[in-house]
Structures are given as C-alpha cells and as structure tokens.
C-alpha cells in the first residue's frame, strides 16, 4: 500500500461514518486520503459532507444504466481513474456486482450494524431488536458477492439494555461503528490485515 492509501467512499445516505473516517484521517489516526466520494443518490447528505471537506464527489444514478453490470462498470472506471487502493462502503445501499467484487476483492470493506452472520440485510438493527437479542453489535468485513457474507475483519459487541428502543440501540451501535471502521481501515492501510480463505488475520 502506498502511504497515504487512496480511498474511495461509497455512500447512499447521511454519511456519519464518512464524516467520522475523514475526521480520523485529519487527526492522523489513519494513514489514508479520501480521493473521492461516490453516491447512487444525488440527495445523499454524505455528498454535502464531502463537499464541505473539499473531497471530490460523483453521483452515479442507477436509472441512467441499463443493468447492474453496466452501473458497476462505470463505478469500476471511476475507481481505476482515481487509482483507488481501498473502497470503503459506508451506508451504500446497493449490492456490489461481480466485476467490482473481482477487481477489489480484499480491497473493499463494508460496515454492517449487527454481529454477522446474524441479521444480514438492510434492517439489521430492527431485526435484532425485534428478535429480542441481548447482545448485538457491529461488523466490518471485506465484500464478496453475497449480502453481508464476506470475511470478517473486526467486530464489536453492543449490549441491548432493558429500556432500549430501536433508536437508542442504533445510537450506541453508531458509536461502535465510529470506533471500529477507522480502526479496520487503519489496519488495512498499515498492511496488518491478512486475508486467508474466509478468515482475516490481524498481524
Ligand atoms: C450504518 O449503520 C452502517 O452500518 C450501515 O448503514 C449505516 C450508514 O450510516 N451499513 P451513515 O450514513 O454512515 O450515518
């Protein structure tokens, strides 16, 4: 990896993880540079956060492409142009297709608000809360072709309190996200993550 490592962040929504990662980079806790923020949603507040920080942004709208493959091909071209070394999905609400997974396998991370393999999918906090688990948490993993199935890099457990509702639980899950996503990125940038089959060793 070069130092700083070139990152692209893909985000569809509010972008608090993006903000937090950018802050960790500013504070020199993570040896990386966010070269570009890409969104599938022109209204994503993540784009505004990026603009305020002077980070280049791109909106790639799925509706402008005939298929998911064509869409992903465009994303792959943007990432290649920007010489991106690590792709960080931060609230990116689309499944990543074959071309991108193959090009970036082991160099593309996602964060998921549950302890995988429990509660994959887009409603993880609600699903875990309604199931009645006593412990849930956060997972950072490399992206493969499945939905939230790739090799796990870091996890942090979050206890469910008796008086929690979904929002209060999600608030604590976010706090755990803000701890472990920058940490996982740092480990990767420093060459300390080693992918061995479906396991990630932290060396
Ligand atoms: C996070 O909870 C993350 O785990 C999930 O999407 C949410 C994004 O939040 N994949 P934000 O846009 O970073 O605030």
């Amino acid at each position: 990896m070069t130092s700083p490592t070139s990152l692209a962040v893909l985000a569809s929504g509010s972008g608090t993880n993006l903000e937090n990662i950018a802050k960790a980079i500013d504070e020199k806790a993570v040896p990386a540079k966010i070269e570009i923020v890409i969104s599938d949603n022109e209204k994503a507040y993540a784009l505004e956060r990026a603009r305020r920080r002077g980070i280049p942004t791109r909106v790639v709208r799925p509706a402008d492409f005939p298929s998911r493959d064509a869409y992903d091909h465009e994303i792959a071209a943007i990432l290649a142009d920007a010489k991106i070394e690590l792709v960080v999905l931060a609230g990116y609400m689309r499944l990543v297709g074959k071309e991108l997974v193959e090009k970036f396998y082991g160099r593309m991370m996602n964060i998921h608000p549950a302890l995988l393999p429990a509660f994959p999918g887009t409603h993880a906090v609600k699903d875990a809360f309604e199931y009645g688990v006593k412990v849930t948490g956060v997972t950072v993993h490399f992206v493969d072709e499945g939905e939230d199935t790739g090799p796990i890099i870091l996890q942090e457990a979050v206890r469910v309190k008796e008086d929690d509702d979904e929002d209060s639980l999600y608030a604590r899950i976010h706090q755990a996200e803000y701890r472990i996503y920058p940490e996982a990125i740092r480990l990767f940038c420093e060459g300390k993550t080693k992918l061995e089959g479906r396991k990630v060793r932290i060396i």
Side-chain angles (χ1 to χ4, degrees):
M1 264 331 110
T2 55
S3 193
T5 303
S6 310
L7 306 191
V9 177
L10 273 58
S12 307
S14 126
T16 64
N17 277 283
L18 162 68
E19 185 85 51
N20 184 65
I21 292 162
K23 217 171 107 228
I25 292 172
D26 287 350
E27 288 164 357
K28 310 242 178 296
V30 178
K33 179 166 183 239
I34 303 174
E35 299 288 354
I36 191 163
V37 170
I38 304 173
S39 185
D40 56 336
N41 169 16
E42 63 216 335
K43 297 203 176 81
Y45 191 65
L47 292 167
E48 178 61 23
R49 293 182 195 270
R51 285 184 207 112
R52 286 186 190 174
R53 288 181 168 272
I55 301 169
T57 61
R58 284 288 292 269
V59 176
V60 187
R61 294 174 13 162
D64 295 339
F65 295 83
S67 63
R68 189 173 86 180
D69 286 352
Y71 180 89
D72 274 8
H73 190 69
E74 173 69 12
I75 303 273
I78 295 170
L79 297 174
D81 252 14
K83 299 195 167 42
I84 296 304
E85 294 169 291
L86 174 66
V87 180
V88 172
L89 307 186
Y92 183 61
M93 299 308 283
R94 290 175 59 82
L95 268 182
V96 176
K98 197 170 162 53
E99 178 183 349
L100 270 182
V101 169
E102 279 174 4
K103 284 196 170 134
F104 284 92
Y105 189 67
R107 299 192 296 131
M108 183 183 291
M109 291 179 185
N110 181 43
I111 187 155
H112 182 76
L115 286 180
L116 292 170
F119 307 111
T122 45
H123 307 288
V125 178
K126 182 169 189 279
D127 293 346
F129 183 73
E130 285 181 356
Y131 193 93
V133 297
K134 301 291 186 186
V135 178
T136 180
V138 177
T139 303
V140 179
H141 63 92
F142 285 123
V143 175
D144 67 7
E145 275 193 69
E147 189 177 19
D148 304 319
T149 50
I152 292 171
I153 304 165
L154 290 180
Q155 292 186 301
E156 183 175 319
V158 174
R159 211 167 268 286
V160 181
K161 294 183 180 167
E162 286 305 322
D163 59 353
D164 263 336
D165 57 21
E166 201 186 309
D167 290 344
S168 61
L169 176 60
Y170 209 158
R172 288 204 311 293
I173 285 177
H174 270 311
Q175 293 308 313
E177 293 186 331
Y178 305 154
R179 283 189 290 275
I180 71 167
Y181 216 1
E183 175 65 1
I185 296 167
R186 178 186 73 79
L187 290 167
F188 177 89
C189 295
E190 292 179 350
K192 292 179 178 155
T193 56
K194 195 153 180 257
L195 186 52
E196 291 177 351
R198 77 147 289 124
K199 291 192 183 155
V200 179
R201 278 211 300 135
I202 307 296
I203 51 178

